[in-house]
Amino acid sequence: MSRARQRPGEVPELWSRILASGAVAASVGWAGGRLSGAGPLTVGTVSGAVAGGLGLRPEKVALGPVLGAAVGGAFEVRDRAADPAVVAGTSVVAFRVLSALLFRDAQISMLAERVPAEDLPFVVPLESRSRYVGTGYVRELAGVLGGSYTADAADVGIVASLDSLAGPEFDPAQVDPLVREFYEHTTRFTLDIVPEWRLWVRPGYLLYRNLLARPLGQASVPMNQREAQRGIRSRIDTITAPGEDVVAVRGWIRSFTDNDEPIYVGIYTTYRHEERGYVSVGFPLPQASFTATLAPMARPGGGLILTSRSELTHPGHYLTYVDAETRELTTAAVEGFAEQLDVYLDDGELRAEHAFWIFGFPFMVLHYRMHRKG
């Protein structure tokens, strides 16, 4: 019924998504129960833990197994031989309903389903067509898009001009010339980085890095200053559209100097909406893209702040699946993630602080020092 009323590009209603997740849990619970012989308490606890883990938010992660155990325990008291499909489905539906009532400020929410890219200007719709992103991503992308590919382009920036970001809260004329030069001619500078991690996030990040980031060749930040001392190589690969002299794609690639292991591969773009300019950075993933859209703000002393912590509609983080055939986008807004990049001058030296938050908790700051090459 929900699908019948659903308009093109519209996300299914919440009740429909809850029932769908319950149906999926029921089938998985049935298979797991048959294979393991687990009782209702175990099936309910595991089902709730998985549902809570998928919610990502710390409160949901904690609630999931507790509620699942309560539902499974109730089934076990009533009937030790209860169907595991019913137990799993009930546990997940109960968790989803209670979560919707308790946590009204959604940290991840579906934004659009199967819409053309032009409907979502704040998303960078460039995915990886293989399981590994790596430092050769822009070269592989050029083979798909066509155009002229330039590796480690000379004298190019992550943005063509700061003037494209002008708006009510930001006047590019007030930016210090050295800050402007860094953005418009990024390859003139070397970067030193000192990561500062909160202790509570280190174990989870270590697991994420080894199981996901390194195998993907994407978003693998140094764990500590000792690792950062391996050196950071910064370069921009570009793609120029066929028959044009204008750079169409700017891929800022950061890797370790000693073995070129990827740290970040980001596609930097700018666009304008309602008299404001924005920076959107797309981080390619297999058949998907994670986009950070940031709003510019003036900083005293000629600095520049790019932030997703804004009351405006577009700034934020978006996880997007790209249909390989139709190029349509299915996008979720990751509202629990936030970041802010602060570039400024300190005694004539160029510095930057790149801060990150998850679910409102600060978890990392990257401290940058930028110096002109040579």
Side-chain angles (χ1 to χ4, degrees):
M1 184 181 299
S2 176
R3 283 285 181 182
R5 295 200 306 263
Q6 185 180 341
R7 292 174 294 185
E10 189 177 42
V11 176
E13 296 177 60
L14 177 61
W15 67 265
S16 176
R17 303 201 304 272
I18 290 176
L19 291 181
S21 63
V24 171
S27 60
V28 175
W30 176 84
R34 287 298 182 91
L35 291 174
S36 66
L41 178 60
T42 301
V43 172
T45 303
V46 171
S47 299
V50 171
L54 292 174
L56 298 179
R57 184 172 178 160
E59 297 93 329
K60 290 186 177 182
V61 173
L63 175 65
V66 173
L67 184 59
V71 172
F75 271 102
E76 187 149 334
V77 169
R78 183 177 179 182
D79 181 8
R80 183 68 176 76
D83 189 335
V86 175
V87 176
T90 303
S91 299
V92 171
V93 168
F95 169 79
R96 293 291 307 274
V97 170
L98 186 57
S99 293
L101 294 173
L102 293 178
F103 310 118
R104 296 184 177 274
D105 54 332
Q107 301 298 295
I108 299 178
S109 60
M110 287 301 297
L111 188 65
E113 184 179 33
R114 302 188 66 84
V115 301
E118 53 266 26
D119 286 1
L120 304 176
F122 43 81
V123 168
V124 179
L126 295 175
E127 78 280 26
S128 173
R129 289 163 174 79
S130 66
R131 292 186 177 182
Y132 188 78
V133 181
T135 57
Y137 172 78
V138 180
R139 181 183 66 249
E140 296 166 2
L141 181 64
V144 175
L145 301 180
S148 177
Y149 165 71
T150 302
D152 198 359
D155 203 20
V156 68
I158 53 177
V159 300
S161 172
L162 284 187
D163 295 334
S164 64
L165 302 181
E169 292 84 22
F170 177 63
D171 179 5
Q174 301 302 314
V175 174
D176 186 275
L178 190 59
V179 174
R180 177 185 280 267
E181 183 182 5
F182 171 73
Y183 276 97
E184 298 178 351
H185 303 276
T186 312
T187 55
R188 293 180 182 176
F189 296 84
T190 61
L191 278 74
D192 295 328
I193 180 174
V194 177
E196 180 186 346
W197 290 88
R198 295 296 177 102
L199 290 178
W200 65 270
V201 82
R202 283 175 176 264
Y205 176 72
L206 187 61
L207 188 66
Y208 152 82
R209 188 185 186 193
N210 290 328
L211 295 182
L212 191 62
R214 278 179 164 163
L216 283 178
Q218 176 67 290
S220 180
V221 180
M223 279 292 296
N224 49 50
Q225 187 173 359
R226 178 178 57 81
E227 189 175 23
Q229 287 175 347
R230 293 166 57 186
I232 306 298
R233 182 186 177 193
S234 171
R235 61 196 185 274
I236 297 179
D237 289 1
T238 63
I239 302 175
T240 303
E244 298 182 10
D245 293 329
V246 179
V247 174
V249 175
R250 302 165 186 265
W252 193 11
I253 301 166
R254 281 150 288 180
S255 60
F256 289 106
T257 303
D258 54 1
N259 62 359
D260 207 31
E261 177 188 347
I263 297 175
Y264 274 121
V265 180
I267 306 299
Y268 281 71
T269 67
T270 61
Y271 73 97
R272 296 191 62 77
H273 177 73
E274 295 183 350
E275 304 303 319
R276 286 183 170 88
Y278 298 92
V279 174
S280 283
V281 188
F283 299 95
L285 300 170
Q287 211 56 55
S289 173
F290 183 75
T291 300
T293 293
L294 311 173
M297 295 174 54
R299 186 188 195 277
L304 170 59
I305 294 173
L306 295 176
T307 182
S308 67
R309 307 182 88 184
S310 170
E311 297 299 321
L312 299 172
T313 304
H314 284 198
H317 294 81
Y318 307 95
L319 183 61
T320 300
Y321 166 76
V322 184
D323 189 289
E325 296 182 0
T326 66
R327 309 302 301 166
E328 292 177 321
L329 310 181
T330 297
T331 297
V334 188
E335 297 165 7
F337 194 88
E339 67 178 288
Q340 181 165 296
L341 175 61
D342 183 2
V343 178
Y344 60 95
L345 287 175
D346 182 19
D347 290 333
E349 299 287 336
L350 199 54
R351 301 285 183 265
E353 309 289 334
H354 199 169
F356 298 84
W357 295 262
I358 187 166
F359 311 119
F361 299 101
F363 70 92
M364 179 180 65
V365 179
L366 299 176
H367 304 276
Y368 287 100
R369 291 173 177 265
M370 291 86 88
H371 306 278
R372 275 204 187 91
K373 295 179 180 177

